[in-house]
């Protein structure tokens, strides 16, 4: 048995908070009891951890990560990605399917899921919507779902053919699996990863205009409103797209959206300061967009925070701006950025932040996660929201982050998954 005592519990699933003691059965990985502070008697076979001054919350759930396995494991692999997740307080992650080979067969999906079982956290994976992510022939969604696909996405590439998207949504609805969409029209983009505005002008390139996202979001929400599948607009970056989602959500409970920490924290000014370390798809945009994303998180238009953890090698990120790959790592800084940018500025309560980072994502992917319940999974995060740390060394193989060297609030003391301590700060 493991007793977590004197911690301040925040559970967004039940909207419960207050001082509690939590007794964990380390044999079955379940929560045995949740009791008022100081009411659990000591026992010889019990390990006790005093969490005075710490918050106990559900283990975080990230439904948009890239672990590059199979095929690109010099950037990250499932083992190193899981360690990075645990260090960031995540006990459940959903992998994207743009690996090499892509996750478009049950064999590749099986490889990913079996490797995930070897880590200390819950590793789920999406499968592709289309074969080879080419946007034309649908995968065997039924077989992939039966093998354990958490959902379907061609993240990294938009679905350009409307009929393909419509049929994918119909089949996903029958399988009760969500579909997540990357919304950037490549026909409108001169140089990806850089906003077609001040940043692009600074570098003398064309960049990626906001219309590339807006046009796809508008089209796909119109299609989604005629279908019954749960759909997420991934890593939203423009104020117009936020408003389109807001209006669509008034018409359907199947519409969802996610925001990445970098999009509610940074603007295109960061690209001018940090170069390739702030290059990402979709790109960082303007201050009005950043504030609109925060408002979307505040009013529930955006119901998930997802990191889009995208590791790359140092050599790749040192290439010229237009040649370097897009993306930054995010698992180890996400909670701190949420505290610093959203909670400390009064946009969200801690309860609301933890909901967007655990219960909300878990609900979208139908995961048994994001809640603290007697008899439920002993997946917990323990952290001090006021203690400060400096971003330096990562558990990830990669270090492509524009936040290196910054001081941030929110020091993680323990990540507990399945009743076992998988990270100790």
């Amino acid at each position: 048995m493991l007793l977590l005592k004197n911690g301040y519990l925040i559970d967004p699933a039940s909207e419960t908070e207050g001082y509690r003691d939590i007794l964990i059965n380390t044999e079955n990985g379940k929560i045995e009891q949740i009791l008022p502070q100081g009411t659990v008697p000591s026992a010889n076979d019990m390990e006790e951890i005093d969490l005075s001054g710490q918050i106990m919350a559900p283990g975080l759930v990230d439904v948009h990560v890239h672990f590059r396995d199979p095929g690109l494991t010099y950037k990250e692999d499932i083992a190193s990605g899981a360690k990075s997740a645990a260090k960031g307080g995540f006990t459940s992650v959903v992998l994207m399917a743009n690996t090499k080979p892509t996750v478009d067969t049950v064999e590749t999906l099986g490889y990913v899921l079996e490797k995930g079982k070897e880590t200390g956290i819950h590793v789920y994976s999406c499968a592709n919507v289309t074969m080879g992510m080419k946007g034309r022939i649908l995968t065997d969604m039924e077989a992939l779902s039966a093998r354990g696909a958490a959902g379907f996405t061609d993240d990294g590439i938009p679905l350009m053919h409307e009929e393909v998207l419509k049929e994918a949504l119909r089949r996903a609805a029958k399988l009760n699996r969500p579909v997540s969409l990357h919304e950037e029209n490549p026909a409108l983009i001169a140089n990806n990863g850089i906003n077609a505005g001040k940043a692009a002008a600074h570098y003398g390139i064309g960049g990626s205009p906001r219309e590339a996202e807006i046009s796809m979001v508008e089209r796909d929400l119109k299609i989604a409103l005629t279908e019954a599948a749960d759909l997420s607009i991934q890593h939203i970056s423009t104020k117009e797209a936020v408003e389109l989602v807001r209006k669509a959500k008034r018409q359907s409970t199947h519409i969802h959206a996610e925001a990445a920490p970098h999009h509610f924290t940074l603007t295109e000014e960061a690209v001018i300061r940090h170069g390739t370390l702030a290059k990402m798809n979709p790109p960082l945009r303007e201050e009005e967009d950043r504030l609109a994303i925060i408002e979307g998180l505040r009013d529930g238009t955006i119901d998930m925070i997802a990191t889009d953890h995208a590791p790359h090698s140092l050599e790749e990120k040192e290439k010229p701006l237009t040649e370097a790959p897009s993306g930054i790592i995010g698992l180890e800084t996400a909670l701190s950025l949420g505290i610093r940018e959203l909670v400390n500025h009064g946009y969200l309560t801690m309860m609301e932040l933890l909901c967007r980072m655990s219960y909300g994502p878990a609900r979208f992917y139908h995961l048994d996660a994001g809640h603290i319940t007697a008899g439920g999974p002993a997946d917990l995060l323990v952290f001090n929201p006021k203690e400060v740390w400096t971003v330096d060394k990562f558990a990830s193989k990669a270090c492509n982050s524009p936040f290196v060297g910054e001081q941030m609030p929110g020091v993680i003391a323990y990540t507990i998954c399945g009743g076992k301590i998988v990270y100790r700060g």
Side-chain angles (χ1 to χ4, degrees):
M1 292 289 186
L2 173 63
L3 174 62
L4 306 179
K5 62 181 185 178
N6 303 323
Y8 190 82
L9 171 70
I10 299 180
D11 176 34
S14 62
E15 298 186 341
T16 299
E17 63 179 297
Y19 289 97
R20 300 286 192 278
D21 290 344
I22 297 179
L23 185 62
I24 293 171
N25 187 326
T26 54
E27 293 298 317
N28 65 15
K30 302 290 186 181
I31 294 174
E32 194 80 11
Q33 291 178 298
I34 303 171
L35 297 168
Q37 185 179 18
T39 60
V40 179
S42 297
N44 292 332
D45 63 344
M46 184 184 298
E47 179 186 358
E48 297 185 16
I49 302 178
D50 188 344
L51 300 182
S52 298
Q54 309 272 3
I55 289 175
M56 302 183 296
L60 303 181
V61 179
D62 192 344
V63 294
H64 190 151
V65 301
H66 300 270
F67 283 179
R68 310 300 191 195
D69 193 352
L72 299 167
T73 53
Y74 68 92
K75 300 173 188 265
E76 192 83 281
D77 58 39
I78 290 169
S80 65
K83 289 178 182 177
S84 181
K87 187 176 179 182
F90 293 90
T91 54
S92 298
V93 295
V94 177
L95 309 188
M96 296 294 99
N98 58 339
T99 49
K100 290 187 177 182
T102 55
V103 188
D104 56 8
T105 66
V106 292
E107 290 78 16
T108 305
L109 176 62
Y111 163 85
V112 170
L113 295 179
E114 290 306 310
K115 285 200 74 174
K117 291 176 183 178
E118 298 171 5
T119 70
I121 66 168
H122 306 296
V123 176
Y124 305 93
S125 181
C126 282
N128 292 116
V129 177
T130 65
M131 295 301 297
M133 295 177 62
K134 295 180 179 178
R136 294 186 177 277
I137 301 171
L138 291 176
T139 57
D140 188 342
M141 297 172 73
E142 291 75 17
L144 289 162
S145 176
R147 182 60 184 87
F152 296 93
T153 183
D154 276 4
D155 177 54
I157 299 176
L159 292 173
M160 298 306 298
H161 297 282
E162 294 186 23
E163 289 305 315
V164 170
L165 176 57
K166 289 177 183 177
E167 181 58 24
L169 290 173
R170 290 174 192 139
R171 290 168 63 179
K174 292 178 182 178
L175 296 168
N176 195 29
R177 292 290 188 272
V179 174
S180 300
L181 299 179
H182 183 115
E183 303 287 46
E184 289 186 291
N185 186 341
L188 302 181
I189 298 172
N191 309 98
N192 69 7
I194 308 297
N195 185 49
K198 186 176 181 180
H202 174 82
Y203 289 106
I205 59 177
S208 174
R210 61 200 307 108
E211 290 77 14
E213 175 175 277
I214 298 164
S215 60
M216 293 296 297
V217 172
E218 186 172 28
R219 187 206 73 172
D220 291 348
L221 287 177
K222 195 173 295 184
I223 293 170
L225 288 174
T226 67
E227 306 297 336
D230 287 328
L231 179 137
S232 174
I233 303 299
Q234 295 180 297
H235 41 46
I236 201 163
S237 75
T238 61
K239 62 182 180 180
E240 293 88 351
V242 174
E243 184 57 29
L244 286 166
V245 171
R246 182 176 286 115
K247 290 178 179 177
K249 288 190 81 158
R250 294 179 188 139
Q251 302 175 62
S252 171
T253 59
H254 294 294
I255 305 300
H256 304 265
E258 62 176 50
H262 43 264
H263 283 123
F264 64 67
T265 300
L266 303 173
T267 67
E268 61 182 339
E269 297 281 353
V271 186
I272 297 172
R273 291 196 307 274
H274 298 288
T276 63
L277 288 178
K279 178 185 179 182
M280 59 204 63
N281 299 339
L284 300 171
R285 306 234 185 238
E286 302 175 24
E287 178 66 3
E288 286 187 358
D289 299 300
R290 188 184 77 86
L291 293 174
I293 290 166
I294 291 174
E295 178 59 22
L297 287 164
R298 192 196 65 77
D299 69 11
T301 296
I302 302 170
D303 35 23
M304 296 177 279
I305 292 173
T307 67
D308 193 12
H309 177 81
H312 295 292
S313 71
L314 182 63
E315 293 75 17
E316 288 170 323
K317 277 295 190 177
E318 286 180 338
K319 291 181 178 181
L321 186 72
T322 55
E323 298 175 24
S326 294
I328 67 171
I329 58 172
L331 284 164
E332 298 172 48
T333 54
L335 176 64
S336 290
L337 289 172
I339 294 170
R340 188 180 79 182
E341 302 297 329
L342 303 176
V343 176
N344 290 355
H345 286 291
Y347 295 117
L348 297 182
T349 64
M350 187 64 75
M351 177 80 75
E352 290 168 333
L353 174 65
L354 292 169
C355 184
R356 307 291 187 273
M357 296 187 74
S358 61
Y359 185 53
R363 275 188 303 175
F364 179 70
Y365 273 95
H366 312 297
L367 308 179
D368 186 14
H371 62 93
I372 298 177
T373 314
D379 300 342
L380 296 107
L381 159 68
V382 178
F383 68 101
N384 186 330
K386 296 181 180 179
E387 195 174 350
V388 174
W389 64 290
T390 301
V391 181
D392 48 18
K393 297 178 181 178
F394 296 100
S396 170
K397 283 186 178 182
C399 59
N400 52 306
S401 169
F403 301 112
V404 172
E406 292 191 20
Q407 287 195 322
M408 294 192 186
V411 172
I412 295 170
Y414 301 96
T415 304
I416 300 169
C417 188
K420 294 179 173 57
I421 297 172
V422 294
Y423 173 77
R424 193 186 299 258

